[in-house]
Amino acid sequence: MFGAAKKKRSRITGKKNPTNYSVNVLDCCAGHGLTGMLFSACNPGKEVYTTLVDSIEPPSHQILRDLLVEICPWVEGRVSFYTMKLKSYQEVCKLKGDKEETLPVVIATHACGSLTDQVLELGVDLGACGLATMPCCYTGTSKDTPYGIKRALGVSWAADIRRSFFLT
């Protein structure tokens, strides 16, 4: 993650070995947000910020955040939670237009169905230097995939093949 961020900062600034950069881990469909917050917790010496986005902020989020801050005080002030749909957050990002302030890394652990596609689209739109998704279901995700591929490989593989073409 930091290697990709450093390379991108180097391309942006023209400096061969940039030292001053921060990374924003954008955890989409975050749920309670533990996955995203662990990036900040496990990198005390680096400027790692975590942005959590989900349509609902569960009560467990604040409990987890408080526990993490107690153990890892450097996490304080580095985590923000946006309670909104992913498409709405994507519109907010377009309005802000601050692609180069912090280097985005986009992750999603439970982006159900077509939410994975929205996460990939957001990562591409933001020019993310890292992008990782782990879909949990594939309902309605193989649209626009040829019938022969769906029949031969199944819906999940067909959806992932279509997604790989989107990313190239």
Side-chain angles (χ1 to χ4, degrees), residues 117 140-145 157-167:
D117 299 310
T141 59
S142 64
K143 293 181 256 174
D144 303 326
T145 305
W157 276 53
D160 288 339
I161 288 169
R162 183 184 51 75
R163 289 171 176 155
S164 69
F165 281 103
F166 170 75
L167 292 172

Side-chain angles (χ1 to χ4, degrees), residues 131-149:
L131 179 58
T133 63
M134 188 170 70
C136 62
C137 63
Y138 286 88
T139 306
T141 59
S142 64
K143 293 181 256 174
D144 303 326
T145 305
Y147 175 74
I149 292 176

Side-chain angles (χ1 to χ4, degrees), residues 2 5 7 37 41 48 51 60 64 73 75 90 102 105 146:
F2 290 108
K7 282 181 186 176
M37 289 190 292
V48 179
T51 302
S60 58
L64 279 170
V75 173
Q90 192 168 7
T102 59
V105 172

Side-chain angles (χ1 to χ4, degrees), residues 62-165:
Q62 193 58 51
I63 295 166
L64 279 170
R65 183 191 287 199
D66 293 344
L67 288 170
L68 269 176
V69 168
E70 188 176 318
I71 296 165
C72 310
W74 55 88
V75 173
E76 181 80 53
R78 292 190 175 193
V79 176
S80 52
F81 201 114
Y82 288 84
T83 307
M84 60 178 55
K85 294 193 179 292
L86 205 50
K87 282 286 186 193
S88 299
Y89 183 78
Q90 192 168 7
E91 291 304 314
V92 169
C93 289
K94 286 179 182 176
L95 291 173
K96 285 171 57 178
D98 58 353
K99 286 185 183 181
E100 297 179 5
E101 286 272 323
T102 59
L103 301 167
V105 172
V106 179
I107 63 170
T109 317
H110 281 281
C112 297
S114 62
L115 286 174
T116 297
D117 299 310
Q118 290 179 35
V119 170
L120 295 174
E121 185 181 321
L122 178 61
V124 169
D125 284 353
L126 291 175
C129 53
L131 179 58
T133 63
M134 188 170 70
C136 62
C137 63
Y138 286 88
T139 306
T141 59
S142 64
K143 293 181 256 174
D144 303 326
T145 305
Y147 175 74
I149 292 176
K150 284 191 264 191
R151 184 159 184 209
L153 300 175
V155 171
S156 58
W157 276 53
D160 288 339
I161 288 169
R162 183 184 51 75
R163 289 171 176 155
S164 69
F165 281 103

